[in-house]
Amino acid sequence: MGVLDEFIGKAFYYTVDGPVTFIRDFVEKQQNRHPSYYYHRQFRRVAPVEDCNVDDYVCLFEAEMQYKRDRLVEQEIIIILQERLGECSTREGPNAKFACKPLLEEYEIAADNFETKYGDLGAGSSAIRCMMKQKNRLLNERRRSKETAQ
């Protein structure tokens, strides 16, 4: 059986393993010559909408696109934190209330900040509406602080 095993092993090597290894090595050499980079696309930061002139439509458009990108990024952060919190509670089981407390606090802070900035704006919100909401919130806080000071 030793000769037969050796024959079957060599036959397998020369018919299956050899060509597959040759092709894989060839493909790896081609990929090493032309590496492809997978990075997130990075946009330059543009001026916020409050720095744009009323008649500067290009600046307003860029600020609007920046606002939409920022909102999408913050939504994804909230989704990732929700997933991590769910994984932690599943992993920890009955001890999740204590073991996942730092993660829950981080999620609550991020969700509160997102709600403060983007809440009540709706799906068709714009950078100008968000800026006005922020301005109104700051004015209300200033009024409350003056009222409490008196």
Side-chain angles (χ1 to χ4, degrees):
M1 289 286 277
V3 175
L4 185 62
D5 287 339
E6 187 176 326
F7 174 76
I8 292 174
K10 285 184 180 183
F12 177 77
Y13 175 76
Y14 287 113
T15 58
V16 177
D17 191 37
V20 169
T21 304
F22 173 76
I23 292 171
R24 187 192 71 217
D25 290 342
F26 177 76
V27 169
E28 285 179 356
K29 286 179 187 176
Q30 295 300 318
Q31 287 177 345
N32 288 339
R33 285 186 193 161
H34 307 290
S36 58
Y37 300 101
Y38 297 99
Y39 294 113
H40 295 289
R41 185 172 176 188
Q42 294 182 351
F43 294 94
R44 64 180 181 84
R45 298 295 294 187
V46 297
V49 72
E50 59 263 14
D51 293 342
C52 295
N53 293 330
V54 177
D55 59 343
D56 189 0
Y57 296 111
V58 174
C59 181
L60 289 172
F61 178 78
E62 287 178 342
E64 184 69 31
M65 293 300 107
Q66 183 70 48
Y67 163 77
K68 289 183 180 186
R69 283 191 299 268
D70 290 344
R71 182 175 174 152
L72 286 175
V73 166
E74 290 183 25
Q75 282 178 339
E76 287 299 318
I77 289 171
I78 297 292
I79 290 170
I80 289 170
L81 289 174
Q82 283 177 337
E83 290 174 357
R84 287 182 184 174
L85 188 61
E87 290 170 359
C88 180
S89 63
T90 302
R91 181 178 59 244
E92 296 297 331
N95 194 25
K97 194 177 216 179
F98 302 107
C100 302
K101 191 172 185 176
L103 196 57
L104 178 63
E105 291 172 356
E106 185 178 357
Y107 168 73
E108 287 176 348
I109 290 170
D112 287 342
N113 290 339
F114 185 83
E115 181 65 27
T116 301
K117 187 170 183 180
Y118 301 111
D120 300 330
L121 288 177
S125 63
S126 67
I128 294 173
R129 287 185 64 197
C130 184
M131 180 191 67
M132 290 300 169
K133 180 183 177 191
Q134 181 180 4
K135 183 186 80 166
N136 290 335
R137 183 176 53 85
L138 292 174
L139 289 174
N140 288 336
E141 287 178 3
R142 187 179 296 167
R143 282 188 204 124
R144 282 191 216 120
S145 66
K146 286 182 181 179
E147 290 173 358
T148 57
Q150 293 176 359

